[in-house]
Amino acid sequence: MAAVMAAALVLIPSIGVDGAYHSIDGEKSVIAVDEDADFTIIYTDSDHEEIDISYSAKVVDSKGNTMSSAVYPTTGEVDSGTPETLTVTAPTTVGRYTLEVTYTGTYTDESGAEVDIGKVVDRFDFKAVEPITLTASIALKDPTVDLSGYGVYFWVDGQKMDDSYTTFSVSSNGKGTATYDWVADASSGKHTFWVESANGGVVDIKGLDEKHDFFVGDNDYSVYIALVVIFVILAIVLLVWVYRKPVKNFGKPKSRR
């Protein structure tokens, strides 16, 4: 499912100057707003023993504007073949963004001369989204059953969310809830979720495995409903006005003399 990308391994490799290899490696390209995600960068130059390469990192929006405090660290030195970790904080505004890493520096060639690599840029596109909170309610036929530690996984549109493991919060009357913040580039329209036991067992729980539908996108028709109501009211007013409008009596036309 295109909407769920949290578990996808994304690798963007490039071959740079004189066969140098560089890449950005991340586990997800969809991040909840104001949440952190780690990315790994690497620069490898196996053709030259002596390199002096540094990097600068930034996050830009779709218009190319740099987002402040969106990546740490913003600068550093690289050792050939040694991964470096960058922590990206997704902006608070939903949208598409790009992590840009620019390498600059020199390497020493076979003659001993220093060669400037210029600017080498890697880019990684990601999307910041608002999480969708899913809540499942359950009820025990026997409220004395202890559900502490009873775990469940959420399933969305037929796929198990591996990061959704949670336990029920059960009250004294045997009712409980489990929640999960679904972070995905979800398509508009109807989606379905349910919870399944992570422990197995034969505990009789009402609500387990029950499917629930929810909608993503603009499904609020209140504006259209309001317009229809206004139209109907105006139509009624017009009909009443026409019905109650006094009829002018001009009398019989005078006969010709």
Side-chain angles (χ1 to χ4, degrees):
M1 180 175 60
V4 181
M5 305 177 69
L9 181 64
V10 181
L11 179 64
I12 301 180
S14 301
I15 301 298
V17 179
D18 261 12
Y21 171 90
H22 44 91
S23 67
I24 301 178
D25 184 7
E27 289 186 344
K28 53 187 177 181
S29 58
V30 181
I31 310 172
V33 292
D34 208 26
E35 293 294 325
D36 293 343
D38 287 340
F39 294 85
T40 300
I41 63 171
I42 191 169
Y43 189 100
T44 302
D45 187 345
S46 56
D47 294 337
H48 308 98
E49 293 184 2
E50 296 184 22
I51 65 171
D52 182 14
I53 307 296
S54 60
Y55 71 85
S56 62
K58 63 180 179 179
V59 171
V60 299
D61 63 13
S62 58
K63 296 181 180 179
N65 300 315
T66 300
M67 304 290 99
S68 62
S69 304
V71 59
Y72 179 83
T74 56
T75 59
E77 303 288 330
V78 298
D79 292 327
S80 181
T82 302
E84 300 285 340
T85 299
L86 304 180
T87 300
V88 170
T89 302
T92 57
T93 301
V94 170
R96 297 190 179 276
Y97 299 89
T98 302
L99 169 63
E100 290 188 359
V101 178
T102 302
Y103 299 97
T104 58
T106 61
Y107 66 84
T108 303
D109 65 12
E110 295 178 354
S111 67
E114 285 191 351
V115 179
D116 193 328
I117 68 167
K119 289 185 177 181
V120 179
V121 182
D122 281 341
R123 295 179 176 87
F124 187 102
D125 296 328
F126 66 93
K127 189 172 184 179
V129 301
E130 287 283 359
I132 299 172
T133 300
L134 306 177
T135 302
S137 299
I138 55 98
L140 299 177
K141 291 186 176 180
D142 181 1
T144 63
V145 174
D146 182 12
L147 271 186
S148 59
Y150 190 86
V152 293
Y153 280 102
F154 277 74
W155 288 66
V156 182
D157 295 336
Q159 292 197 2
K160 179 182 177 182
M161 302 294 103
D162 291 327
D163 64 338
S164 68
Y165 178 84
T166 186
T167 56
F168 284 113
S169 299
V170 181
S171 60
S172 58
N173 62 2
K175 295 182 179 180
T177 58
T179 60
Y180 168 59
D181 286 336
W182 186 42
V183 178
D185 186 11
S187 59
S188 297
K190 186 176 78 170
H191 299 268
T192 304
F193 80 94
W194 65 91
V195 291
E196 290 187 3
S197 170
N199 307 75
V202 291
V203 179
D204 193 358
I205 303 176
K206 182 180 180 181
L208 205 63
D209 301 325
E210 283 188 6
K211 293 185 177 181
H212 309 275
D213 294 333
F214 65 99
F215 291 85
V216 173
D218 186 9
N219 290 284
D220 184 2
Y221 299 100
S222 57
V223 174
Y224 301 100
I225 294 173
L227 291 174
V228 171
V229 171
I230 292 173
F231 176 78
V232 171
I233 292 174
L234 290 175
I236 293 173
V237 170
L238 180 61
L239 289 174
V240 171
W241 179 79
V242 171
Y243 178 78
R244 299 187 63 181
K245 181 180 179 182
V247 178
K248 293 183 180 180
N249 187 358
F250 295 98
K252 294 182 179 180
K254 293 181 180 181
S255 59
R256 295 182 179 178
R257 293 182 180 179

